[in-house]
Amino acid sequence: MPQFIIDLKTLYKDMDKPDRILLTLVALTFFSFPIGTAPPLILIITAFIVFIVSGKFLGIRKLWQEHPICPLVIDLTDKSEREIDWKSCVLRNLSDNWILPLLLFLSLPWIGLIYAPEISDVSMDYARKTHYWLYAFVIALLPLDKRAMAFVVKAFLAGLFVNSIFAFIQFAGFAPPPAPSSIQGYFGFGVIYSALSMYLVSAIMMASFFFKSAQTKEIKAFNLMLIFIFLFHISIMDGRNGYVTFFILSPLIAINVIGRFEWKKMVLICIVFLLAMSFSPVLKNRIKTTFINLRANQQVILEQPWTTKIIDIVPRFYLLRSALDIFVKHPVIGAGTGGYRYYTGQEGGIPQSHPHSNILYMGASFGIVGLFSYLWLCWVMFKKSWQHRDEIQGYFALSILLVIFISGFFNSQIIDSGPALFFALGYGLLNQMNSQQLT
């Protein structure tokens, strides 16, 4: 019997029944991410119901006691208010308390409904999507030791592996590829290429983590194979965001493959990665057409006004400029939830749901407050996961954050169902980094 099955049986034997059910549902959620939006949502909602019915949600009270608002940390029976170091207290919460930025982040879309110029379907959709962040508490309160974390991550890799194999079948011409909108590529079971690229980059980072920690040549070879399978899958999808995100993070992956930092070997491995991707005709065609379009429309990009024809030619630049204009006009609290769509439709403009950027979306919708909320959330997640980057839960959270943050410059991942749930579950892992079970 494989050692993995033996370890899994032992793991389940050591857990109570509700935790076994929750762990299975969480693992299946990660397994199903590449399939589409509905399967992971159904699974995590089921997990949340078990979380409530089993009474596991009562652990939230303990979380709040461990991460209170800073004045409550001080025992006022021992210290007078004059002796409280308020500055240190605030700074400590800004960098260490993971619950406060989460509560601010998920409350902004509901607060933004109050001052939005109109309450549209888009406004309500973005507000309702905050329920994804409630599922962070499911994974935060699930007893995830190293064995359980390995099971969850391996389920995630397994789902992507199965999906990649089907994508290769499509690439070989034995099955028709899905083609959402005008995007051409080979996505396997999924059709959201930007989200799938993000999952694949995270999977490559985790495969490189397992490669680094592997004790046998066979396991190292298997994880190296996974890296190149996932890398080739990225290269046959028509998504520039995935290419850029991988390129930026490739040095971290190379360092894991080497086992330490050696810049010459790191550069060499990064070159090998790029050469492997260069065999993809999809990638070469995407890069070629991108440069052709930029050269052909370099004057159009700066042309005034933004007519329908120009917007159709260079939509990204229109989205960028519109978001900046809205931010300048509403710098403090933004245009409200869904306000971006309202203002882009004024004065003969074309209504746009979002600016295809996390930063621009938060700035245009919630102003400086929104930018602070997003960056605070990312900073807390980065700090805690970086401190635990040598542990599986820390590196997984770090990989999720990095792909969300980097790819989020070019896509509004935080309001896209799959990536938003992925982000939320990764954020919930922060509580596992304080667990004694992982020491």
Side-chain angles (χ1 to χ4, degrees):
M1 183 178 293
Q3 186 62 42
F4 174 72
I5 301 299
I6 296 174
D7 292 342
L8 188 58
K9 285 186 173 181
T10 304
L11 169 65
Y12 272 59
K13 185 178 180 180
D14 294 340
M15 302 177 76
D16 59 31
K17 187 174 181 179
D19 287 337
R20 288 198 297 267
I21 296 173
L22 285 171
L23 176 61
T24 303
L25 290 169
V26 167
L28 287 174
T29 299
F30 279 97
F31 177 86
S32 63
F33 268 118
I35 299 175
T37 300
L41 276 178
I42 292 171
L43 287 162
I44 200 62
I45 289 173
T46 305
F48 190 71
I49 293 172
V50 174
F51 178 70
I52 297 297
V53 173
S54 65
K56 292 291 181 180
F57 74 96
L58 297 174
I60 293 177
R61 181 178 180 182
K62 182 180 178 182
L63 285 182
W64 186 251
Q65 291 172 343
E66 294 172 350
H67 304 278
I69 298 175
C70 81
L72 300 181
V73 177
I74 308 298
D75 186 353
L76 295 178
T77 60
D78 296 331
K79 291 186 177 182
S80 67
E81 188 172 346
R82 291 190 303 273
E83 296 173 339
I84 298 175
D85 186 350
W86 293 96
K87 181 179 179 181
S88 298
C89 187
V90 170
L91 291 176
R92 184 169 63 251
N93 276 269
L94 286 175
S95 61
D96 294 331
N97 193 321
W98 67 272
I99 294 181
L100 287 180
L102 172 60
L103 294 178
L104 175 62
F105 188 75
L106 66 84
S107 66
L108 282 180
W110 292 102
I111 297 173
L113 291 176
I114 298 173
Y115 58 89
E118 68 174 6
I119 306 299
S120 63
D121 291 342
V122 170
S123 303
M124 294 307 301
D125 179 52
Y126 292 166
R128 284 193 296 264
K129 282 182 177 178
T130 56
H131 74 86
Y132 301 149
W133 290 91
L134 297 177
Y135 309 136
F137 291 103
V138 175
I139 201 167
L141 294 172
L142 185 62
L144 294 174
D145 60 13
K146 291 180 180 179
R147 298 170 300 166
M149 275 305 310
F151 174 49
V152 170
V153 176
K154 288 175 181 177
F156 176 60
L157 298 182
L160 284 164
F161 176 75
V162 172
N163 190 64
S164 293
I165 296 301
F166 186 58
F168 297 158
I169 293 174
Q170 295 172 340
F171 180 70
F174 296 112
S181 64
S182 61
I183 301 300
Q184 300 295 322
Y186 304 91
F187 314 120
F189 298 104
V191 294
I192 305 176
Y193 73 99
S194 59
L196 186 54
S197 296
M198 185 188 64
Y199 303 148
L200 286 166
V201 176
S202 293
I204 292 173
M205 292 185 69
M206 292 313 300
S208 72
F209 176 85
F210 285 135
F211 179 93
K212 179 181 179 181
S213 59
Q215 300 299 316
T216 65
K217 292 181 179 179
E218 291 78 11
I219 296 178
K220 282 185 177 292
F222 177 74
N223 283 287
L224 190 62
M225 177 194 70
L226 285 181
I227 289 173
F228 281 98
I229 286 176
F230 296 151
L231 179 59
F232 188 67
H233 192 181
I234 292 174
S235 70
I236 61 173
M237 289 193 297
D238 201 1
R240 290 168 296 192
N241 200 357
Y243 309 152
V244 173
T245 303
F246 174 79
F247 176 76
I248 294 173
L249 292 175
S250 59
L252 289 178
I253 299 164
I255 289 172
N256 278 341
V257 173
I258 299 168
R260 58 189 179 277
F261 178 77
E262 293 184 20
W263 74 269
K264 290 183 179 179
K265 291 183 178 180
M266 181 190 74
V267 171
L268 178 61
I269 291 176
C270 289
I271 292 174
V272 171
F273 288 153
L274 294 177
L275 287 174
M277 295 179 72
S278 69
F279 288 103
S280 167
V282 179
L283 182 147
K284 288 189 287 189
N285 182 66
R286 184 63 160 166
I287 293 176
K288 178 182 177 180
T289 55
T290 297
F291 281 104
I292 289 175
N293 288 337
L294 286 175
R295 285 196 296 267
N297 300 295
Q298 58 184 341
Q299 296 300 322
V300 174
I301 292 172
L302 301 176
E303 186 175 330
Q304 292 282 354
W306 287 97
T307 64
T308 302
K309 180 180 179 180
I310 296 175
I311 293 170
D312 289 339
I313 295 173
V314 284
R316 291 281 180 159
F317 292 92
Y318 171 69
L319 298 174
L320 167 64
R321 181 167 176 176
S322 298
L324 292 176
D325 288 344
I326 293 171
F327 178 75
V328 170
K329 293 177 181 177
H330 309 273
V332 180
I333 59 174
T337 309
Y340 181 81
R341 180 176 178 81
Y342 173 83
Y343 284 109
T344 52
Q346 298 299 298
E347 299 178 359
I350 300 176
Q352 305 290 324
S353 296
H354 57 83
H356 283 269
S357 168
N358 288 341
I359 293 287
L360 294 177
Y361 167 75
M362 293 301 292
S365 301
F366 312 112
I368 294 173
V369 175
L371 290 175
F372 170 77
S373 172
Y374 176 65
L375 294 176
W376 184 19
L377 190 86
C378 291
W379 165 247
V380 171
M381 190 172 180
F382 175 78
K383 182 182 178 183
K384 291 183 73 69
S385 60
W386 182 259
Q387 291 171 343
H388 294 262
R389 65 189 181 277
D390 294 327
E391 302 166 355
I392 186 171
Q393 80 285 0
Y395 202 81
F396 193 32
L398 180 65
S399 72
I400 292 173
L401 169 68
L402 291 177
V403 296
I404 289 283
F405 189 78
I406 293 171
S407 65
F409 279 99
F410 312 103
N411 275 299
S412 303
Q413 306 282 25
I414 54 177
I415 52 175
D416 188 356
S417 296
L421 177 59
F422 192 52
F423 194 11
L425 293 180
Y427 194 80
L429 289 174
L430 299 188
N431 192 59
Q432 300 294 338
M433 297 172 203
N434 296 326
S435 175
Q436 295 300 315
Q437 299 174 9
L438 293 165
T439 58

PDB file of all heavy atoms in Angstrom, residues 188-218:
ATOM      1  N   GLY A 188      -8.480  22.681 -20.692  1.00  0.00           N
ATOM      2  CA  GLY A 188      -8.935  21.480 -20.012  1.00  0.00           C
ATOM      3  C   GLY A 188     -10.422  21.583 -19.724  1.00  0.00           C
ATOM      4  O   GLY A 188     -11.209  21.970 -20.583  1.00  0.00           O
ATOM      5  N   PHE A 189     -10.800  21.289 -18.502  1.00  0.00           N
ATOM      6  CA  PHE A 189     -12.209  21.366 -18.129  1.00  0.00           C
ATOM      7  C   PHE A 189     -12.659  22.799 -17.883  1.00  0.00           C
ATOM      8  O   PHE A 189     -13.828  23.128 -17.993  1.00  0.00           O
ATOM      9  CB  PHE A 189     -12.478  20.536 -16.861  1.00  0.00           C
ATOM     10  CG  PHE A 189     -12.182  19.073 -17.033  1.00  0.00           C
ATOM     11  CD1 PHE A 189     -11.030  18.514 -16.496  1.00  0.00           C
ATOM     12  CD2 PHE A 189     -13.035  18.253 -17.748  1.00  0.00           C
ATOM     13  CE1 PHE A 189     -10.749  17.164 -16.658  1.00  0.00           C
ATOM     14  CE2 PHE A 189     -12.771  16.900 -17.925  1.00  0.00           C
ATOM     15  CZ  PHE A 189     -11.617  16.357 -17.368  1.00  0.00           C
ATOM     16  N   GLY A 190     -11.725  23.660 -17.494  1.00  0.00           N
ATOM     17  CA  GLY A 190     -12.070  25.027 -17.144  1.00  0.00           C
ATOM     18  C   GLY A 190     -12.156  25.920 -18.362  1.00  0.00           C
ATOM     19  O   GLY A 190     -11.675  25.586 -19.445  1.00  0.00           O
ATOM     20  N   VAL A 191     -12.786  27.090 -18.167  1.00  0.00           N
ATOM     21  CA  VAL A 191     -12.902  28.045 -19.267  1.00  0.00           C
ATOM     22  C   VAL A 191     -12.451  29.449 -18.854  1.00  0.00           C
ATOM     23  O   VAL A 191     -12.441  30.357 -19.661  1.00  0.00           O
ATOM     24  CB  VAL A 191     -14.352  28.120 -19.800  1.00  0.00           C
ATOM     25  CG1 VAL A 191     -14.746  26.805 -20.442  1.00  0.00           C
ATOM     26  CG2 VAL A 191     -15.336  28.480 -18.701  1.00  0.00           C
ATOM     27  N   ILE A 192     -12.074  29.637 -17.591  1.00  0.00           N
ATOM     28  CA  ILE A 192     -11.622  30.946 -17.125  1.00  0.00           C
ATOM     29  C   ILE A 192     -10.099  30.934 -17.151  1.00  0.00           C
ATOM     30  O   ILE A 192      -9.439  30.533 -16.188  1.00  0.00           O
ATOM     31  CB  ILE A 192     -12.157  31.264 -15.717  1.00  0.00           C
ATOM     32  CG1 ILE A 192     -13.682  31.134 -15.685  1.00  0.00           C
ATOM     33  CG2 ILE A 192     -11.733  32.658 -15.279  1.00  0.00           C
ATOM     34  CD1 ILE A 192     -14.293  31.326 -14.320  1.00  0.00           C
ATOM     35  N   TYR A 193      -9.525  31.353 -18.251  1.00  0.00           N
ATOM     36  CA  TYR A 193      -8.094  31.183 -18.463  1.00  0.00           C
ATOM     37  C   TYR A 193      -7.250  31.984 -17.479  1.00  0.00           C
ATOM     38  O   TYR A 193      -6.180  31.533 -17.052  1.00  0.00           O
ATOM     39  CB  TYR A 193      -7.723  31.554 -19.902  1.00  0.00           C
ATOM     40  CG  TYR A 193      -7.764  33.036 -20.188  1.00  0.00           C
ATOM     41  CD1 TYR A 193      -6.606  33.795 -20.174  1.00  0.00           C
ATOM     42  CD2 TYR A 193      -8.970  33.681 -20.459  1.00  0.00           C
ATOM     43  CE1 TYR A 193      -6.637  35.148 -20.426  1.00  0.00           C
ATOM     44  CE2 TYR A 193      -9.010  35.022 -20.716  1.00  0.00           C
ATOM     45  CZ  TYR A 193      -7.846  35.762 -20.699  1.00  0.00           C
ATOM     46  OH  TYR A 193      -7.896  37.105 -20.930  1.00  0.00           O
ATOM     47  N   SER A 194      -7.706  33.184 -17.084  1.00  0.00           N
ATOM     48  CA  SER A 194      -6.907  34.009 -16.178  1.00  0.00           C
ATOM     49  C   SER A 194      -6.812  33.359 -14.798  1.00  0.00           C
ATOM     50  O   SER A 194      -5.740  33.339 -14.185  1.00  0.00           O
ATOM     51  CB  SER A 194      -7.506  35.409 -16.059  1.00  0.00           C
ATOM     52  OG  SER A 194      -8.840  35.353 -15.570  1.00  0.00           O
ATOM     53  N   ALA A 195      -7.922  32.818 -14.298  1.00  0.00           N
ATOM     54  CA  ALA A 195      -7.909  32.135 -13.004  1.00  0.00           C
ATOM     55  C   ALA A 195      -7.084  30.865 -13.081  1.00  0.00           C
ATOM     56  O   ALA A 195      -6.295  30.555 -12.172  1.00  0.00           O
ATOM     57  CB  ALA A 195      -9.332  31.826 -12.554  1.00  0.00           C
ATOM     58  N   LEU A 196      -7.237  30.110 -14.161  1.00  0.00           N
ATOM     59  CA  LEU A 196      -6.513  28.853 -14.299  1.00  0.00           C
ATOM     60  C   LEU A 196      -5.005  29.090 -14.352  1.00  0.00           C
ATOM     61  O   LEU A 196      -4.223  28.327 -13.762  1.00  0.00           O
ATOM     62  CB  LEU A 196      -6.988  28.126 -15.564  1.00  0.00           C
ATOM     63  CG  LEU A 196      -6.438  26.720 -15.795  1.00  0.00           C
ATOM     64  CD1 LEU A 196      -6.682  25.829 -14.579  1.00  0.00           C
ATOM     65  CD2 LEU A 196      -7.079  26.104 -17.040  1.00  0.00           C
ATOM     66  N   SER A 197      -4.579  30.136 -15.037  1.00  0.00           N
ATOM     67  CA  SER A 197      -3.155  30.476 -15.069  1.00  0.00           C
ATOM     68  C   SER A 197      -2.639  30.748 -13.661  1.00  0.00           C
ATOM     69  O   SER A 197      -1.532  30.333 -13.296  1.00  0.00           O
ATOM     70  CB  SER A 197      -2.921  31.704 -15.953  1.00  0.00           C
ATOM     71  OG  SER A 197      -3.247  31.443 -17.289  1.00  0.00           O
ATOM     72  N   MET A 198      -3.445  31.438 -12.871  1.00  0.00           N
ATOM     73  CA  MET A 198      -3.063  31.763 -11.501  1.00  0.00           C
ATOM     74  C   MET A 198      -2.913  30.495 -10.663  1.00  0.00           C
ATOM     75  O   MET A 198      -1.940  30.334  -9.919  1.00  0.00           O
ATOM     76  CB  MET A 198      -4.119  32.677 -10.894  1.00  0.00           C
ATOM     77  CG  MET A 198      -3.794  33.197  -9.519  1.00  0.00           C
ATOM     78  SD  MET A 198      -5.216  34.061  -8.839  1.00  0.00           S
ATOM     79  CE  MET A 198      -6.382  32.709  -8.715  1.00  0.00           C
ATOM     80  N   TYR A 199      -3.868  29.565 -10.792  1.00  0.00           N
ATOM     81  CA  TYR A 199      -3.769  28.306 -10.056  1.00  0.00           C
ATOM     82  C   TYR A 199      -2.518  27.535 -10.464  1.00  0.00           C
ATOM     83  O   TYR A 199      -1.825  26.946  -9.616  1.00  0.00           O
ATOM     84  CB  TYR A 199      -4.994  27.424 -10.333  1.00  0.00           C
ATOM     85  CG  TYR A 199      -6.334  28.038 -10.009  1.00  0.00           C
ATOM     86  CD1 TYR A 199      -7.463  27.716 -10.756  1.00  0.00           C
ATOM     87  CD2 TYR A 199      -6.483  28.942  -8.949  1.00  0.00           C
ATOM     88  CE1 TYR A 199      -8.700  28.275 -10.472  1.00  0.00           C
ATOM     89  CE2 TYR A 199      -7.724  29.505  -8.665  1.00  0.00           C
ATOM     90  CZ  TYR A 199      -8.823  29.168  -9.430  1.00  0.00           C
ATOM     91  OH  TYR A 199     -10.052  29.719  -9.154  1.00  0.00           O
ATOM     92  N   LEU A 200      -2.215  27.538 -11.747  1.00  0.00           N
ATOM     93  CA  LEU A 200      -1.069  26.781 -12.244  1.00  0.00           C
ATOM     94  C   LEU A 200       0.248  27.344 -11.728  1.00  0.00           C
ATOM     95  O   LEU A 200       1.162  26.585 -11.385  1.00  0.00           O
ATOM     96  CB  LEU A 200      -1.078  26.759 -13.774  1.00  0.00           C
ATOM     97  CG  LEU A 200      -2.122  25.836 -14.412  1.00  0.00           C
ATOM     98  CD1 LEU A 200      -2.283  26.139 -15.894  1.00  0.00           C
ATOM     99  CD2 LEU A 200      -1.748  24.379 -14.206  1.00  0.00           C
ATOM    100  N   VAL A 201       0.367  28.666 -11.663  1.00  0.00           N
ATOM    101  CA  VAL A 201       1.598  29.254 -11.127  1.00  0.00           C
ATOM    102  C   VAL A 201       1.749  28.897  -9.654  1.00  0.00           C
ATOM    103  O   VAL A 201       2.848  28.553  -9.194  1.00  0.00           O
ATOM    104  CB  VAL A 201       1.614  30.783 -11.334  1.00  0.00           C
ATOM    105  CG1 VAL A 201       2.857  31.393 -10.681  1.00  0.00           C
ATOM    106  CG2 VAL A 201       1.580  31.130 -12.813  1.00  0.00           C
ATOM    107  N   SER A 202       0.660  28.949  -8.896  1.00  0.00           N
ATOM    108  CA  SER A 202       0.707  28.530  -7.485  1.00  0.00           C
ATOM    109  C   SER A 202       1.120  27.070  -7.377  1.00  0.00           C
ATOM    110  O   SER A 202       1.905  26.699  -6.492  1.00  0.00           O
ATOM    111  CB  SER A 202      -0.659  28.720  -6.823  1.00  0.00           C
ATOM    112  OG  SER A 202      -0.994  30.073  -6.708  1.00  0.00           O
ATOM    113  N   ALA A 203       0.583  26.233  -8.275  1.00  0.00           N
ATOM    114  CA  ALA A 203       0.917  24.812  -8.246  1.00  0.00           C
ATOM    115  C   ALA A 203       2.395  24.582  -8.561  1.00  0.00           C
ATOM    116  O   ALA A 203       3.038  23.711  -7.959  1.00  0.00           O
ATOM    117  CB  ALA A 203       0.038  24.059  -9.247  1.00  0.00           C
ATOM    118  N   ILE A 204       2.930  25.349  -9.494  1.00  0.00           N
ATOM    119  CA  ILE A 204       4.359  25.227  -9.812  1.00  0.00           C
ATOM    120  C   ILE A 204       5.202  25.603  -8.599  1.00  0.00           C
ATOM    121  O   ILE A 204       6.205  24.936  -8.280  1.00  0.00           O
ATOM    122  CB  ILE A 204       4.721  26.108 -11.021  1.00  0.00           C
ATOM    123  CG1 ILE A 204       4.077  25.554 -12.285  1.00  0.00           C
ATOM    124  CG2 ILE A 204       6.237  26.205 -11.206  1.00  0.00           C
ATOM    125  CD1 ILE A 204       4.230  26.436 -13.508  1.00  0.00           C
ATOM    126  N   MET A 205       4.799  26.648  -7.899  1.00  0.00           N
ATOM    127  CA  MET A 205       5.534  27.047  -6.702  1.00  0.00           C
ATOM    128  C   MET A 205       5.492  25.949  -5.643  1.00  0.00           C
ATOM    129  O   MET A 205       6.497  25.647  -4.995  1.00  0.00           O
ATOM    130  CB  MET A 205       4.957  28.353  -6.139  1.00  0.00           C
ATOM    131  CG  MET A 205       5.191  29.563  -7.024  1.00  0.00           C
ATOM    132  SD  MET A 205       4.631  31.108  -6.270  1.00  0.00           S
ATOM    133  CE  MET A 205       5.825  31.297  -4.940  1.00  0.00           C
ATOM    134  N   MET A 206       4.325  25.308  -5.474  1.00  0.00           N
ATOM    135  CA  MET A 206       4.222  24.249  -4.474  1.00  0.00           C
ATOM    136  C   MET A 206       4.974  22.992  -4.910  1.00  0.00           C
ATOM    137  O   MET A 206       5.575  22.298  -4.081  1.00  0.00           O
ATOM    138  CB  MET A 206       2.755  23.921  -4.203  1.00  0.00           C
ATOM    139  CG  MET A 206       2.001  25.026  -3.499  1.00  0.00           C
ATOM    140  SD  MET A 206       2.873  25.725  -2.064  1.00  0.00           S
ATOM    141  CE  MET A 206       3.048  24.273  -1.016  1.00  0.00           C
ATOM    142  N   ALA A 207       4.968  22.668  -6.204  1.00  0.00           N
ATOM    143  CA  ALA A 207       5.738  21.524  -6.689  1.00  0.00           C
ATOM    144  C   ALA A 207       7.229  21.756  -6.461  1.00  0.00           C
ATOM    145  O   ALA A 207       7.970  20.837  -6.105  1.00  0.00           O
ATOM    146  CB  ALA A 207       5.445  21.273  -8.172  1.00  0.00           C
ATOM    147  N   SER A 208       7.666  23.009  -6.645  1.00  0.00           N
ATOM    148  CA  SER A 208       9.079  23.322  -6.390  1.00  0.00           C
ATOM    149  C   SER A 208       9.397  23.238  -4.903  1.00  0.00           C
ATOM    150  O   SER A 208      10.498  22.851  -4.515  1.00  0.00           O
ATOM    151  CB  SER A 208       9.415  24.718  -6.929  1.00  0.00           C
ATOM    152  OG  SER A 208       8.844  25.752  -6.133  1.00  0.00           O
ATOM    153  N   PHE A 209       8.415  23.582  -4.051  1.00  0.00           N
ATOM    154  CA  PHE A 209       8.593  23.444  -2.597  1.00  0.00           C
ATOM    155  C   PHE A 209       8.758  21.973  -2.226  1.00  0.00           C
ATOM    156  O   PHE A 209       9.639  21.616  -1.436  1.00  0.00           O
ATOM    157  CB  PHE A 209       7.390  24.045  -1.877  1.00  0.00           C
ATOM    158  CG  PHE A 209       7.418  23.890  -0.382  1.00  0.00           C
ATOM    159  CD1 PHE A 209       8.098  24.812   0.408  1.00  0.00           C
ATOM    160  CD2 PHE A 209       6.778  22.827   0.243  1.00  0.00           C
ATOM    161  CE1 PHE A 209       8.134  24.667   1.793  1.00  0.00           C
ATOM    162  CE2 PHE A 209       6.801  22.677   1.617  1.00  0.00           C
ATOM    163  CZ  PHE A 209       7.474  23.605   2.400  1.00  0.00           C
ATOM    164  N   PHE A 210       7.913  21.103  -2.795  1.00  0.00           N
ATOM    165  CA  PHE A 210       8.025  19.672  -2.526  1.00  0.00           C
ATOM    166  C   PHE A 210       9.326  19.111  -3.098  1.00  0.00           C
ATOM    167  O   PHE A 210       9.921  18.201  -2.524  1.00  0.00           O
ATOM    168  CB  PHE A 210       6.826  18.926  -3.122  1.00  0.00           C
ATOM    169  CG  PHE A 210       5.545  19.099  -2.350  1.00  0.00           C
ATOM    170  CD1 PHE A 210       4.360  19.366  -2.998  1.00  0.00           C
ATOM    171  CD2 PHE A 210       5.527  19.005  -0.965  1.00  0.00           C
ATOM    172  CE1 PHE A 210       3.175  19.522  -2.290  1.00  0.00           C
ATOM    173  CE2 PHE A 210       4.355  19.171  -0.246  1.00  0.00           C
ATOM    174  CZ  PHE A 210       3.179  19.430  -0.907  1.00  0.00           C
ATOM    175  N   PHE A 211       9.760  19.637  -4.248  1.00  0.00           N
ATOM    176  CA  PHE A 211      11.037  19.217  -4.832  1.00  0.00           C
ATOM    177  C   PHE A 211      12.182  19.515  -3.862  1.00  0.00           C
ATOM    178  O   PHE A 211      13.057  18.673  -3.635  1.00  0.00           O
ATOM    179  CB  PHE A 211      11.269  19.940  -6.158  1.00  0.00           C
ATOM    180  CG  PHE A 211      12.572  19.607  -6.826  1.00  0.00           C
ATOM    181  CD1 PHE A 211      12.630  18.588  -7.770  1.00  0.00           C
ATOM    182  CD2 PHE A 211      13.732  20.308  -6.523  1.00  0.00           C
ATOM    183  CE1 PHE A 211      13.835  18.268  -8.385  1.00  0.00           C
ATOM    184  CE2 PHE A 211      14.942  20.004  -7.135  1.00  0.00           C
ATOM    185  CZ  PHE A 211      14.987  18.980  -8.073  1.00  0.00           C
ATOM    186  N   LYS A 212      12.155  20.707  -3.295  1.00  0.00           N
ATOM    187  CA  LYS A 212      13.216  21.119  -2.375  1.00  0.00           C
ATOM    188  C   LYS A 212      13.281  20.235  -1.141  1.00  0.00           C
ATOM    189  O   LYS A 212      14.374  19.896  -0.659  1.00  0.00           O
ATOM    190  CB  LYS A 212      12.993  22.582  -1.959  1.00  0.00           C
ATOM    191  CG  LYS A 212      14.025  23.123  -0.990  1.00  0.00           C
ATOM    192  CD  LYS A 212      13.703  24.569  -0.632  1.00  0.00           C
ATOM    193  CE  LYS A 212      14.708  25.124   0.365  1.00  0.00           C
ATOM    194  NZ  LYS A 212      14.388  26.527   0.735  1.00  0.00           N
ATOM    195  N   SER A 213      12.120  19.847  -0.612  1.00  0.00           N
ATOM    196  CA  SER A 213      12.078  19.082   0.632  1.00  0.00           C
ATOM    197  C   SER A 213      12.071  17.574   0.430  1.00  0.00           C
ATOM    198  O   SER A 213      12.084  16.818   1.399  1.00  0.00           O
ATOM    199  CB  SER A 213      10.843  19.482   1.445  1.00  0.00           C
ATOM    200  OG  SER A 213       9.651  19.243   0.709  1.00  0.00           O
ATOM    201  N   ALA A 214      12.045  17.105  -0.828  1.00  0.00           N
ATOM    202  CA  ALA A 214      11.972  15.666  -1.108  1.00  0.00           C
ATOM    203  C   ALA A 214      13.233  14.952  -0.638  1.00  0.00           C
ATOM    204  O   ALA A 214      14.346  15.482  -0.749  1.00  0.00           O
ATOM    205  CB  ALA A 214      11.752  15.435  -2.596  1.00  0.00           C
ATOM    206  N   GLN A 215      13.040  13.738  -0.153  1.00  0.00           N
ATOM    207  CA  GLN A 215      14.161  12.952   0.378  1.00  0.00           C
ATOM    208  C   GLN A 215      14.696  11.939  -0.629  1.00  0.00           C
ATOM    209  O   GLN A 215      15.787  11.404  -0.438  1.00  0.00           O
ATOM    210  CB  GLN A 215      13.709  12.222   1.648  1.00  0.00           C
ATOM    211  CG  GLN A 215      13.233  13.146   2.757  1.00  0.00           C
ATOM    212  CD  GLN A 215      14.307  14.098   3.232  1.00  0.00           C
ATOM    213  OE1 GLN A 215      15.455  13.698   3.423  1.00  0.00           O
ATOM    214  NE2 GLN A 215      13.946  15.360   3.419  1.00  0.00           N
ATOM    215  N   THR A 216      13.932  11.646  -1.673  1.00  0.00           N
ATOM    216  CA  THR A 216      14.370  10.651  -2.645  1.00  0.00           C
ATOM    217  C   THR A 216      14.397  11.249  -4.044  1.00  0.00           C
ATOM    218  O   THR A 216      13.707  12.223  -4.344  1.00  0.00           O
ATOM    219  CB  THR A 216      13.417   9.434  -2.652  1.00  0.00           C
ATOM    220  OG1 THR A 216      12.120   9.847  -3.115  1.00  0.00           O
ATOM    221  CG2 THR A 216      13.290   8.846  -1.247  1.00  0.00           C
ATOM    222  N   LYS A 217      15.197  10.634  -4.910  1.00  0.00           N
ATOM    223  CA  LYS A 217      15.306  11.105  -6.287  1.00  0.00           C
ATOM    224  C   LYS A 217      13.989  10.917  -7.042  1.00  0.00           C
ATOM    225  O   LYS A 217      13.650  11.710  -7.918  1.00  0.00           O
ATOM    226  CB  LYS A 217      16.429  10.362  -7.003  1.00  0.00           C
ATOM    227  CG  LYS A 217      17.819  10.708  -6.482  1.00  0.00           C
ATOM    228  CD  LYS A 217      18.885   9.960  -7.258  1.00  0.00           C
ATOM    229  CE  LYS A 217      20.280  10.317  -6.755  1.00  0.00           C
ATOM    230  NZ  LYS A 217      21.338   9.576  -7.505  1.00  0.00           N
ATOM    231  N   GLU A 218      13.258   9.843  -6.685  1.00  0.00           N
ATOM    232  CA  GLU A 218      11.996   9.576  -7.370  1.00  0.00           C
ATOM    233  C   GLU A 218      10.982  10.686  -7.120  1.00  0.00           C
ATOM    234  O   GLU A 218      10.289  11.131  -8.045  1.00  0.00           O
ATOM    235  CB  GLU A 218      11.429   8.227  -6.917  1.00  0.00           C
ATOM    236  CG  GLU A 218      12.216   7.015  -7.364  1.00  0.00           C
ATOM    237  CD  GLU A 218      13.480   6.772  -6.547  1.00  0.00           C
ATOM    238  OE1 GLU A 218      13.627   7.440  -5.492  1.00  0.00           O
ATOM    239  OE2 GLU A 218      14.303   5.943  -6.951  1.00  0.00           O
TER     240      GLU A 218
END
